């Protein structure tokens, strides 16, 4: 059992969470969310779980916007117990479920838009794959490059993970070709527009929420793995997304969010391109002990619907158990 989990189990009944909160008060937490739905199934967090988490943040912490947090940090005035909420991608369920709760609780948030998705030009490839596996009548599939026959009757979710993991190793053009092959093998035709449960926000939706205080950042145009792009493709993803947000909303976004956001999904070349495209800072998708020290790889905690994981990140036990980055 990891030390911080042991401390959590033993210490929580004795008030240990509040001690951890005090010890970690100088460590800002940036929380990363994606999707909500009523049930908490199909890859989304349950609405009531999210409501419970936002109430806990409001009651015991200092919720701040991402941009306010960065400005305070740049002045050397990072507030104690700061928590910033971020959402990635731009699904319509953000408006339906998350935004009303954030407004009710008075918690600011930043939404990172995949602008081609918002435009209606495309829908996200992981959802295309889910749709294909949900609707196929095939009992199995042996995708090219995986060298394994995947039993769809046993687990379509496991098949999704296997195929999606393979997609992450491919260049953007290779991935699009591979997805076409998967659809052919499954005997499914991809609709031009996503089904309702995979629908994006519209620009009108976004404009209304911006008027209500929502911050907007860029998440590229088409959500590719940036290290798989050549320099021209990379700049197009970064610049087109930024330009579209400025055209639609009347301001250029300061914040950029790396698609997927693992350490292997960006490097010095990508970070330089983000700066060149005009952004002020960029967010990754993994935590760190000093989350704001590198403004081109700002750390975030992935949101969890497991209460113990959420509380360990929020109250600081995860931070207290981290080693210093070398």
């Amino acid at each position: 059992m990891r030390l911080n989990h042991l401390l959590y189990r033993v210490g929580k009944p004795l008030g240990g969470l509040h001690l951890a909160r005090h010890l970690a008060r100088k460590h800002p937490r940036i929380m990363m969310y994606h999707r909500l739905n009523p049930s908490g199934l199909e890859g989304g967090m349950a609405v009531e779980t999210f409501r419970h988490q936002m109430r806990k943040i409001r009651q015991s912490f200092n919720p701040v916007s991402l941009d306010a947090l960065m400005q305070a940090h740049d002045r050397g005035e990072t507030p104690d117990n700061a928590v910033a909420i971020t959402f990635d991608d731009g699904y319509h369920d953000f408006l339906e479920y998350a935004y009303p709760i954030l407004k009710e609780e008075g918690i600011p948030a930043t939404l990172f838009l995949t602008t081609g998705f918002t435009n209606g030009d495309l829908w996200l490839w992981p959802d295309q794959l889910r749709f294909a596996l949900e609707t196929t009548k095939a009992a199995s599939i042996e995708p090219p490059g995986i060298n394994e026959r995947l039993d769809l009757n046993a687990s379509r979710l496991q098949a999704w993970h296997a195929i999606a993991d393979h997609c992450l190793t491919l260049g953007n053009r290779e991935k699009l070709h591979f997805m076409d092959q998967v659809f052919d093998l499954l005997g499914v035709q991809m609709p031009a527009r996503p089904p309702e449960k995979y629908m994006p926000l519209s620009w009108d939706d976004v404009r209304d929420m911006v008027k209500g205080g929502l911050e907007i950042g860029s998440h590229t145009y088409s959500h590719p793995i940036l290290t798989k792009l050549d320099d021209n493709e990379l700049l197009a993803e970064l610049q087109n997304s930024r330009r579209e947000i400025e055209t639609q909303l009347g301001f250029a976004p300061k914040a950029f969010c790396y698609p997927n956001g693992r350490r292997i999904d960006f490097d010095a070349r990508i970070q330089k391109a983000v700066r060149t495209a005009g952004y002020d800072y960029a967010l990754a998708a993994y935590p760190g002990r000093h989350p704001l020290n590198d403004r081109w790889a700002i750390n975030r905690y992935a949101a969890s619907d497991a209460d113990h994981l959420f509380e360990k990140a929020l109250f600081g036990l995860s931070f207290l158990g981290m080693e210093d980055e070398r």
Side-chain angles (χ1 to χ4, degrees), residues 156-170:
R156 299 193 180 209
L157 179 61
Q158 287 183 9
W160 181 87
H161 280 293
I163 299 172
D165 286 348
H166 180 68
C167 284
L168 293 176
T169 70
L170 303 177

Side-chain angles (χ1 to χ4, degrees), residues 86-281:
T86 66
F87 271 79
D88 293 1
D89 301 327
Y91 287 97
H92 190 270
D93 56 54
F94 177 83
L95 172 62
E96 189 173 0
Y97 302 121
Y99 184 68
I101 294 172
L102 291 165
K103 293 297 289 183
E104 287 169 15
E105 300 300 329
I107 295 178
T110 301
L111 175 63
F112 290 97
L113 294 176
T114 303
T115 56
F117 185 42
T118 314
N119 286 347
D121 299 338
L122 54 90
W123 49 306
L124 302 182
W125 69 261
D127 297 334
Q128 295 178 20
L129 180 56
R130 287 188 180 93
F131 171 82
L133 292 170
E134 288 166 354
T135 58
T136 186
K137 296 180 180 178
S140 64
I141 182 176
E142 188 172 351
I146 293 182
N147 300 320
E148 177 186 357
R149 180 160 290 278
L150 304 173
D151 185 352
L152 304 184
N153 291 330
S155 175
R156 299 193 180 209
L157 179 61
Q158 287 183 9
W160 181 87
H161 280 293
I163 299 172
D165 286 348
H166 180 68
C167 284
L168 293 176
T169 70
L170 303 177
N172 208 39
R173 293 174 186 168
E174 293 175 282
K175 180 178 66 187
L176 295 175
H177 177 63
F178 173 77
M179 290 289 293
D180 287 341
Q181 292 177 297
V182 168
F183 268 79
D184 287 343
L185 290 170
L186 293 174
V188 175
Q189 185 172 0
M190 187 182 78
R193 290 178 57 79
E196 184 176 355
K197 69 178 178 178
Y198 300 128
M199 286 291 288
L201 292 161
S202 70
W203 285 112
D204 283 341
D205 294 331
V206 176
R207 275 187 282 272
D208 287 343
M209 290 187 289
V210 167
K211 291 176 184 175
L214 180 68
E215 289 184 359
I216 298 297
S218 166
H219 202 30
T220 71
Y221 171 79
S222 68
H223 205 285
I225 300 300
L226 298 180
T227 52
K228 303 294 183 180
L229 304 181
D230 65 32
D231 289 347
N232 290 332
E233 292 170 329
L234 174 60
L235 283 176
E237 284 284 343
L238 300 174
Q239 292 173 344
N240 291 347
S241 177
R242 190 169 188 267
R243 189 180 304 118
E244 186 69 17
I245 291 171
E246 185 170 18
T247 298
Q248 294 286 348
L249 303 180
F251 60 85
K254 296 180 180 180
F256 178 77
C257 175
Y258 299 108
N260 224 42
R262 302 168 300 172
R263 287 178 173 85
I264 64 172
D265 295 321
F266 61 95
D267 53 24
R269 178 179 74 99
I270 308 302
Q271 291 172 308
K272 181 180 178 181
V274 172
R275 292 195 299 272
T276 300
Y279 298 97
D280 289 353
Y281 48 89

Side-chain angles (χ1 to χ4, degrees), residues 295-309:
R295 68 189 302 110
W296 305 109
I298 292 168
N299 301 126
R300 294 189 289 175
Y301 289 97
S304 173
D305 55 8
D307 202 44
H308 72 284
L309 294 177

Side-chain angles (χ1 to χ4, degrees), residues 49-116:
T49 299
F50 181 72
R51 189 188 307 276
H52 170 73
Q53 293 186 358
M54 294 305 103
R55 286 180 177 169
K56 189 163 290 188
I57 288 169
R58 176 177 55 78
Q59 290 164 0
S60 300
F61 291 85
N62 180 15
V64 296
S65 73
L66 178 62
D67 192 53
L69 177 61
M70 290 303 299
Q71 290 187 41
H73 174 73
D74 289 343
R75 295 192 305 267
E77 300 173 355
T78 305
D80 287 357
N81 292 311
V83 178
I85 302 300
T86 66
F87 271 79
D88 293 1
D89 301 327
Y91 287 97
H92 190 270
D93 56 54
F94 177 83
L95 172 62
E96 189 173 0
Y97 302 121
Y99 184 68
I101 294 172
L102 291 165
K103 293 297 289 183
E104 287 169 15
E105 300 300 329
I107 295 178
T110 301
L111 175 63
F112 290 97
L113 294 176
T114 303
T115 56

